[in-house]
Amino acid sequence: MNKKVITTCLVACSIVAGLSLIPVSGIVAQDNGLAELTLNGGYQGPVAFNHQLHQTIVEDCAVCHKDFEKKPGALDEAKKTGALKAKQVMYKTCIACHRAKKKAGEKFGPISCSACHA
Ligand code: HEC
Ligand code: HEC
Ligand code: HEC
């Protein structure tokens, strides 16, 4: 091979390699889901949940999503399969944090039934 062919090949190869690196390096934006969600609260009534506000307060998605997937209907699905008990997320995640914040003297979310369930 002469020098020109080698150079052309190197250029072509690095373009191909560069392109294939784009998805690998994760330039694809994170899907934060809807800003406002309505959660199924059973016979107690639906729960209006400001997802976006909580993403700002909590930062680590896993605080909530360790228990259910990042997709619509994931909570109900996990309760249906028995992966989660009814009211488990409500007590162990939502109310637990609101109580802890209150105790720490910080801004906190609702703790009484009717403040969450409409
Ligand atoms: C305070 C709890 C909490 C935090 C923190 C949280 N989420 Fe969620 N997220 C939920 C709940 C509850 C649902 C609704 C699941 C369902 O529909 O059953 C949800 C649903 C979703 C969905 C499904 C799409 C939709 O709009 O319904 C996506 C995507 C998602 N979350 C992404 C994220 C990402 C990314 C983060 C971190 C930046 C995050 N969430 C942080 C509670 C949280
Ligand atoms: C911080 C908000 C919040 C508060 C306060 C709250 N809940 Fe809930 N509740 C939820 C969420 C979110 C769910 C759905 C997730 C789950 O089941 O863990 C839920 C689910 C439920 C369900 C349905 C469980 C099922 O799957 O059948 C009942 C019943 C319920 N709550 C009753 C209550 C009662 C009674 C109180 C007061 C003692 C209360 N909730 C306080 C947020 C709340
Ligand atoms: C790690 C902490 C944390 C977790 C987990 C958490 N919250 Fe909150 N939540 C807060 C704080 C702090 C506020 C007060 C924000 C403010 O007043 O600016 C709040 C406020 C709220 C409010 C009232 C504000 C509004 O209008 O949206 C609701 C309703 C609420 N949370 C529901 C929930 C539900 C339902 C869950 C579980 C799916 C949950 N929260 C999980 C910390 C948390």
Side-chain angles (χ1 to χ4, degrees), residues 9-23:
C9 178
L10 281 178
V11 170
C13 289
S14 48
I15 287 171
V16 170
L19 284 178
S20 65
L21 274 177
I22 292 171

Side-chain angles (χ1 to χ4, degrees), residues 15-114:
I15 287 171
V16 170
L19 284 178
S20 65
L21 274 177
I22 292 171
V24 175
S25 55
I27 288 168
V28 178
Q30 171 178 251
D31 177 10
N32 278 7
L34 294 174
E36 301 277 350
L37 297 170
T38 304
L39 309 177
N40 179 5
Y43 63 78
Q44 199 72 29
V47 176
F49 175 61
N50 192 329
H51 194 212
Q52 196 170 54
L53 170 75
H54 282 84
Q55 287 174 346
T56 320
I57 302 169
V58 184
E59 282 175 20
D60 184 4
C61 314
V63 168
C64 295
H65 286 289
K66 63 176 167 28
D67 288 328
F68 54 94
E69 286 182 68
K70 294 188 188 97
K71 64 177 197 198
L75 255 175
D76 279 347
E77 200 180 297
K79 287 198 276 187
K80 203 152 70 184
T81 63
L84 276 177
K85 291 202 195 91
K87 302 191 216 172
Q88 183 176 332
V89 166
M90 164 182 132
Y91 280 123
K92 299 248 165 95
T93 305
C94 316
I95 298 179
C97 174
H98 293 175
R99 284 222 170 98
K101 295 272 185 192
K102 186 183 181 189
K103 211 173 156 193
E106 294 169 28
K107 267 191 169 179
F108 62 97
I111 289 163
S112 73
C113 319
S114 60

